[in-house]
Amino acid sequence: MLRRVCLVGARPLIRQLGPTPLRNFTIGREETPVYIPIDRLKISCCKSSGPGGQNVNKVNSKVEIRFHVESADWLPTPVRENILQQYHARITLAGELIIRDERSRYQLQNKANCLQKLRDIIEAASCQPEEPHKLNSEQRRLRVEAIQRERLRQKRIRSSIKQDRRENLD
């Protein structure tokens, strides 16, 4: 049985549930539900430098989640490719994505924050950028041309002012 962390009030709770569900994401033209199987994540805890006072030296409250992106068959291929491109700075040489959290003094709350960060990463990688319409690109081109014409007009005006000053000095 898998565990899912839920926060109720100030106290984190663990519920025995299945994989953590995500919203349905549109990948390409089809809507696909994506689940995070917690048993496939490497979750480790260590001592935190965050809040907690002297308790920080005794309790492992910092949480680190790792998973191998290329072998994550629970993610669709385009999402995996987008994660590899967008988050290359967080991926180790072994191909593992690292997500850390130490904001809270409670380990379970940090674990919930890490899972939320993972959900956000998957959601960001699932979004396909909209293709620009021809109308928008045409309007942008016309706007850029108008701005350049105005810049050159202002440059000519400034140049003529400076030339007039030179003629008066001679």
Side-chain angles (χ1 to χ4, degrees), residues 4 10 33 40 42 47 63 65-66 72 96 98-99 108 111-112 123 125 138 142 145 158 163 169-170:
R4 183 166 51 161
R40 299 218 186 146
K42 296 176 189 170
K47 292 190 175 35
V63 176
I65 292 180
R66 294 172 174 250
E96 290 184 329
I98 301 174
I99 302 167
L108 292 176
K111 197 176 291 187
E123 185 176 353
E138 182 65 24
L142 292 174
E145 286 177 2
R158 191 75 188 145
Q163 283 180 355
L169 292 174
D170 289 337

Side-chain angles (χ1 to χ4, degrees), residues 4-51:
R4 183 166 51 161
V5 177
C6 299
L7 294 177
V8 178
R11 230 172 234 252
L13 298 176
I14 296 179
R15 293 190 178 165
Q16 299 293 329
L17 295 174
T20 306
L22 287 173
R23 292 188 300 269
N24 291 345
F25 294 115
T26 304
I27 300 169
R29 294 192 182 270
E30 57 191 55
E31 215 172 82
T32 312
V34 178
Y35 292 95
I36 300 175
I38 296 178
D39 59 336
R40 299 218 186 146
L41 302 176
K42 296 176 189 170
I43 300 176
S44 60
C45 302
C46 60
K47 292 190 175 35
S48 169
S49 62

Side-chain angles (χ1 to χ4, degrees), residues 14 20 30 57 85 88 96 102 110 125 128 135 149 164 166 170:
I14 296 179
T20 306
E30 57 191 55
N57 301 325
Q85 288 176 355
H88 60 87
E96 290 184 329
E102 56 182 329
N110 286 335
Q128 296 292 327
L135 180 63
R149 276 195 306 272
D164 288 345
R166 256 188 259 144
D170 289 337

Side-chain angles (χ1 to χ4, degrees), residues 47-115:
K47 292 190 175 35
S48 169
S49 62
Q54 293 177 358
N55 196 42
V56 153
N57 301 325
K58 298 185 285 183
V59 179
N60 293 332
S61 59
K62 178 180 177 179
V63 176
E64 183 177 272
I65 292 180
R66 294 172 174 250
F67 75 95
H68 195 265
V69 178
E70 293 176 359
S71 65
D73 56 353
W74 47 275
L75 286 174
T77 307
V79 174
R80 277 185 272 164
E81 291 171 359
N82 286 344
I83 288 175
L84 288 171
Q85 288 176 355
Q86 293 176 5
Y87 299 96
H88 60 87
R90 288 188 180 186
I91 296 176
T92 63
L93 293 175
E96 290 184 329
L97 179 69
I98 301 174
I99 302 167
R100 295 183 185 101
D101 193 75
E102 56 182 329
R103 285 183 284 170
S104 172
R105 63 183 292 165
Y106 300 108
Q107 185 186 90
L108 292 176
Q109 196 168 10
N110 286 335
K111 197 176 291 187
N113 290 341
C114 277
L115 290 173

